[in-house]
Amino acid sequence: MPSIRELRPTPRSEKAEEVTIIGTIERIAVIPGRARRTVVTLGDGTGRLECVWFGPIDWIERIYAQGDQVAVSGDLGWFRGKPQMRHPDSE
């Protein structure tokens, strides 16, 4: 498994790369509004990865807490120069 530091953007013409990252939850934020979303920031000692779920995703706050170690898998994307996964699988 790669570390967050090792992640690199893929050219737009290529299919998104599916990766698995193990990290510690540094922050869980629910962003209200028309496009309500839950953002979980993971860190692995080499960098940070944002995991984003859109819509009412209340289960995340019930299951996970800051400091928990989790594995997330999904298509790696980039938003404003930072690595991001949308709706990743987690355990």
Side-chain angles (χ1 to χ4, degrees):
M1 274 180 265
S3 68
I4 294 172
R5 176 180 287 166
E6 295 170 325
L7 302 177
R8 298 287 177 253
T10 56
R12 290 189 184 271
S13 61
E14 292 182 24
K15 184 180 179 328
E17 178 183 8
E18 185 168 324
V19 297
T20 298
I21 296 290
I22 296 174
T24 302
I25 296 176
E26 295 181 354
R27 180 173 178 243
I28 299 175
V30 176
I31 311 223
R34 198 181 73 144
R36 182 174 183 226
R37 62 199 180 278
T38 301
V39 179
V40 175
T41 304
L42 292 182
D44 72 351
T46 69
R48 290 186 175 91
L49 169 73
E50 285 191 346
C51 301
V52 181
W53 290 266
F54 292 92
I57 311 293
D58 299 328
W59 63 267
I60 293 171
E61 292 180 291
R62 287 194 310 268
I63 295 175
Y64 297 119
Q66 187 174 344
D68 288 350
Q69 187 171 21
V70 297
V72 293
S73 298
D75 290 338
L76 178 66
W78 294 81
F79 182 71
R80 296 184 179 165
K82 298 177 190 174
Q84 181 185 81
M85 283 186 192
R86 290 184 179 184
H87 295 269
D89 293 327
S90 62
E91 52 181 78

